[in-house]
Amino acid sequence: MRRGKISLYSGLIALSIYYGREALSLGLWVGFGPGPGLMPLLLSIIMFILACFLLLSPDGLKNTETDSFILADGKRRLIMVVLFLIISTYLMDIIGFILSTMILTYTILQMVEKWGMKRSAIVAIILPVTFWFLFAVAFKMQLPEGIWF
Amino acid sequence: MDILLNLAMGFQQVLTPIYLLFVLLGVGFGLIVGALPGLGPTAAIAILLPLTYKSDPVLSMVMLTGIYYGAMFGGSYTSILLNIPGESSAVMTALEGYQLALQGQASKAIQMANMSSFLGGTISVFGLTVAAPLLSKAALAFGPPEYFILMMLGLSAIAFVGTGSPVKALIAGCFGLMLGTIGSEPITGAQRYTFGSYNLGDGIPFAAVAMGIFAIAEVLINIEKGLKPFSGKTEKKMRIQWPTKEELKISMSPAFQGTGIGFVLGALPGVGPTIASFLSYSLAKLQSKRPEKWGKGAIEGIAAVETANNAAVGGAMVPLLSLGIPGSSATAVLLGGLLMHGLRPGPLLFSEHPEIPWGVIASMYIGNIIAIIMGITLSVYFIRLLKLPPAVLNVIIFLVTIIGAYSINNNVFDIWVLLVFGVVGYFFKKVGIPEAPVVLGLVLGPLVETTFGQSLIMSHGSLSIFVQRPVSLVLLIILIIIYLWPLIRFSFNRLKYSNNQ
């Protein structure tokens, strides 16, 4: 957990430095009012101070819930779900909402939850189609379109 | 006397089967769209607007207004049950409501939300009835300096929405404000931190960030722990659970205060229910006798938020009906509805077509009663969501949030934003950084920057403008008191202690 926290706080420090550097190039004052860079600069200074405080203070690195940042037995499940989310989002514009969410639903149920293939397939068809009817047909909302719908 | 006569005329008109049917349709549709993320009241009113083109103007306005306040009622349901804020104004409801749902008190939280929505909604309609002309003039006295101090008051909520370390809450708030600076700069129009992407030109969509950081992050945490998406207790029997007398008693003060805040802020163009709910929540927490309970399922927090965001609807109707100024996107579409029927809202509408404003006002009284009855009845079915198999519930959350994010701009880019902030929210949760200040900063950041810039342009660069205007000065004093409140309370307690000694 400690290593994870150090990485996150260091990331915030890096973000504040980048933000501040960009802010300076945007201009701090224009005419009678603040320029586009003033607020980002102030925020980057505040973020830098706060993130440094957390990184250096013992309270900031104190354990919260668990000793490990990502639970060892949950790591695989977590990575798989994030991966499937990324893949289905990438496919959204190519194959459309229904097909991409069918893939997402099936893979989560079958590979992560370890449901049976038939049961996963039935739910993977019913859920996306129901949502498509509710939002795209009933509420006339636009959903990602691909080769289908 | 005139008010009573006009109101009686409005009731006479609305208490007919066809009007009641249209109120029912509007409120029912509003409740559903309010509960679904992405499809807010503005979009819902816009969808139904063309359908009302050929109908009677009062009838169509009654239905469209019903959608507006019905959506405020429904916005709390998915916040409480799934940690997905259906509306931006329901973000703070998720903070307390979801914790109560995890403790097996989802029904109680929803009933508190229903009752508070009804209270806030009804009192604000009463306010609209009696104080509309007065308040609409006062609202015009608000310029950029007053708005700036008001936004700073809203930002003070950052200190009160976190439950743990104040430094982490400030980091979250600062991160949200930084996100708010992405896109076009509000005064000069300069592009900031867009990396050349036109998708970022309008900034980061608030709804996608809120859904990612609250709902997706929560699901990721649960998946990591072993696929228990609703990791709390669920009621064995799906029955209506009411708040206890004690809970109602402690919720009274936040509820009435929230109603006042919501109504007044709702009447100010551009402020709306979101800021009203943030401010009401933080003030109620500040005054609470059990602040340690907040963020862990304080039922009075739901009362503070829900009264404020529903009262803001009545408040938002004040400038619309009495001046013809839409204070929010939803009231702008309602204005479009009136214009479509050849009517121009403003003082003349009350004298030339009194049946329209008074019909709408009377329908809002009746609509609030219909909304609470429907809300209580439907809540039993909404709570059944929690009985679904955990894996299915997870998938439903993914699908609802994906649709909600896509519907913002009909662009897959917003789904990517949802995912990125889901992961950011996951890491923030892991290290104990609260999520709500991120959302607060993102909402208020651009408004703070705009009003500050406009104020300085007005005063030719002088900060004295904030103390020269009476309304701004009063707000500034309130702001200083709020920031110094912990110190004042500490000194007061110390004095009391030394006197007792």
Side-chain angles (χ1 to χ4, degrees):
Chain A
M1 179 59 101
R2 194 183 156 86
R3 205 186 300 163
K5 282 186 170 182
I6 291 172
S7 309
L8 188 77
Y9 299 151
S10 306
L12 289 174
I13 291 171
L15 177 76
S16 66
I17 292 169
Y18 166 77
Y19 231 73
R21 206 184 60 131
E22 286 291 303
L24 286 172
S25 67
L26 287 165
L28 302 180
W29 207 258
V30 181
F32 290 118
L38 186 68
M39 185 154 164
L41 182 72
L42 292 175
L43 291 173
S44 66
I45 293 169
I46 297 169
M47 177 63 99
F48 182 81
I49 294 168
L50 292 172
C52 284
F53 177 81
L54 280 183
L55 192 65
L56 299 173
S57 74
D59 271 1
L61 297 175
K62 204 169 63 181
N63 279 347
T64 43
E65 259 185 60
T66 50
D67 284 337
S68 57
F69 198 73
I70 299 176
L71 299 175
D73 53 341
K75 200 186 246 178
R76 190 183 145 270
R77 282 194 299 269
L78 190 67
I79 292 171
M80 276 173 77
V81 168
V82 173
L83 193 70
F84 294 136
L85 278 170
I86 291 170
I87 293 170
S88 63
T89 306
Y90 176 76
L91 292 174
M92 204 75 77
D93 260 345
I94 303 167
I95 57 173
F97 172 80
I98 293 186
L99 276 181
S100 59
T101 50
M102 272 180 182
I103 294 168
L104 176 73
T105 309
Y106 181 81
T107 45
I108 287 180
L109 294 179
Q110 215 266 320
M111 295 173 79
V112 182
E113 174 69 347
K114 309 282 182 202
W115 278 24
M117 281 171 72
K118 203 195 259 177
R119 199 172 160 215
S120 304
I122 292 169
V123 178
I125 293 169
I126 292 173
L127 274 183
V129 172
T130 309
F131 273 82
W132 182 79
F133 265 104
L134 179 68
F135 287 92
V137 180
F139 291 136
K140 307 224 176 297
M141 279 169 70
Q142 199 181 328
L143 293 180
E145 288 174 10
I147 49 168
W148 273 18
F149 308 109
Chain B
M1 196 62 187
D2 273 358
I3 291 174
L4 285 177
L5 283 174
N6 285 322
L7 193 61
M9 179 195 74
F11 273 115
Q12 200 178 14
Q13 191 180 11
V14 175
L15 285 170
T16 50
I18 184 76
Y19 277 88
L20 288 175
L21 178 71
F22 269 65
V23 176
L24 192 75
L25 283 175
V27 172
F29 191 57
L31 273 170
I32 295 166
V33 297
L36 299 172
L39 195 71
T42 313
I45 297 169
I47 290 170
L48 290 192
L49 193 62
L51 302 179
T52 63
Y53 183 63
K54 285 187 178 169
S55 67
D56 173 62
V58 190
L59 213 53
S60 55
M61 286 313 292
V62 157
M63 188 179 74
L64 297 175
T65 317
I67 296 173
Y68 188 21
Y69 56 82
M72 287 298 153
F73 257 80
S76 59
Y77 299 160
T78 40
S79 294
I80 292 168
L81 296 173
L82 304 173
N83 206 20
I84 306 175
E87 280 300 306
S88 56
S89 55
V91 166
M92 308 309 273
T93 308
L95 216 62
E96 301 297 341
Y98 186 65
Q99 290 302 319
L100 281 169
L102 291 176
Q103 293 159 24
Q105 299 182 49
S107 176
K108 192 188 273 186
I110 288 186
Q111 301 323 332
M112 178 55 93
N114 280 330
M115 288 190 289
S116 308
S117 300
F118 175 74
L119 183 80
T122 307
I123 295 178
S124 80
V125 183
F126 180 72
L128 172 66
T129 313
V130 296
L134 199 76
L135 201 67
S136 55
K137 276 179 199 156
L140 289 180
F142 268 67
E146 288 77 20
Y147 276 110
F148 172 69
I149 308 283
L150 202 61
M151 298 305 148
M152 291 304 289
L153 270 169
L155 273 182
S156 67
I158 285 175
F160 306 109
V161 293
T163 48
S165 149
V167 178
K168 287 179 180 172
L170 284 172
I171 283 211
C174 193
F175 183 68
L177 286 165
M178 283 165 95
L179 293 175
T181 62
I182 294 172
S184 299
E185 197 267 341
I187 305 282
T188 61
Q191 294 285 307
R192 298 182 297 193
Y193 309 105
T194 59
F195 306 101
S197 163
Y198 69 91
N199 287 315
L200 287 171
D202 288 334
I204 291 192
F206 151 80
V209 173
M211 285 189 287
I213 219 157
F214 278 99
I216 299 284
E218 182 74 24
V219 174
L220 292 180
I221 292 267
N222 289 327
I223 283 174
E224 182 197 0
K225 284 179 180 170
L227 264 176
K228 290 179 200 138
F230 187 74
S231 51
K233 303 172 201 166
T234 50
E235 288 97 324
K236 282 182 184 154
K237 284 182 185 169
M238 287 295 142
R239 58 184 170 78
I240 296 172
Q241 225 185 335
W242 297 98
T244 61
K245 268 186 189 169
E246 186 58 33
E247 285 165 339
L248 286 175
K249 206 174 141 191
I250 54 168
S251 303
M252 277 297 167
S253 166
F256 282 106
Q257 182 177 269
T259 305
I261 292 171
F263 182 62
V264 173
L265 294 192
L268 301 175
V271 179
T274 309
I275 294 164
S277 65
F278 281 132
L279 204 58
S280 171
Y281 179 89
S282 53
L283 280 179
K285 189 179 174 186
L286 188 75
Q287 295 157 355
S288 175
K289 285 179 183 157
R290 45 172 212 171
E292 73 289 346
K293 187 97 175 102
W294 288 64
K296 293 168 191 155
I299 201 159
E300 63 271 34
I302 298 177
V305 176
E306 287 302 312
T307 46
N309 63 27
N310 280 273
V313 173
M317 297 301 284
V318 172
L320 177 74
L321 292 177
S322 54
L323 297 171
I325 300 170
S328 63
S329 52
T331 48
V333 185
L334 283 176
L335 174 69
L338 283 167
L339 294 174
M340 196 174 78
H341 288 284
L343 301 160
R344 173 81 213 169
L348 287 177
L349 187 70
F350 280 85
S351 54
E352 288 174 1
H353 298 281
E355 74 282 3
I356 293 172
W358 290 109
V360 170
I361 290 170
S363 78
M364 287 174 81
Y365 282 105
I366 296 161
N368 271 299
I369 297 169
I370 292 175
I372 190 169
I373 295 169
M374 284 180 90
I376 291 167
T377 317
L378 288 175
S379 67
V380 181
Y381 300 98
F382 273 113
I383 293 165
R384 289 201 176 146
L385 267 176
L386 304 181
K387 282 278 186 190
L388 285 171
V392 174
L393 197 52
N394 264 343
V395 174
I396 288 176
I397 294 173
F398 283 138
L399 295 186
V400 170
T401 50
I402 284 172
I403 293 170
Y406 183 81
S407 68
I408 302 165
N409 294 312
N410 292 334
N411 191 343
V412 174
F413 176 79
D414 294 334
I415 304 177
W416 288 113
V417 173
L418 171 86
L419 297 187
V420 167
F421 282 94
V423 176
V424 169
Y426 167 83
F427 285 116
F428 275 17
K429 267 180 197 284
K430 281 276 166 173
V431 298
I433 293 178
E435 315 92 323
V438 178
V439 178
L440 184 66
L442 180 58
V443 172
L444 293 183
L447 298 171
V448 168
E449 199 176 7
T450 309
T451 50
F452 182 64
Q454 286 171 339
S455 305
L456 288 190
I457 290 168
M458 275 169 74
S459 66
H460 298 280
S462 167
L463 288 168
S464 61
I465 190 167
F466 298 110
V467 290
Q468 280 170 350
R469 297 162 64 109
V471 180
S472 153
L473 182 65
V474 170
L475 288 171
L476 190 64
I477 292 168
I478 296 171
L479 180 72
I480 293 168
I481 292 172
I482 285 182
Y483 277 101
L484 292 180
W485 184 250
L487 202 70
I488 295 168
R489 195 152 67 171
F490 175 74
S491 312
F492 184 72
N493 286 343
R494 209 170 159 182
L495 196 74
K496 215 162 88 177
Y497 178 76
S498 59
N499 280 348
N500 286 345
Q501 289 286 307

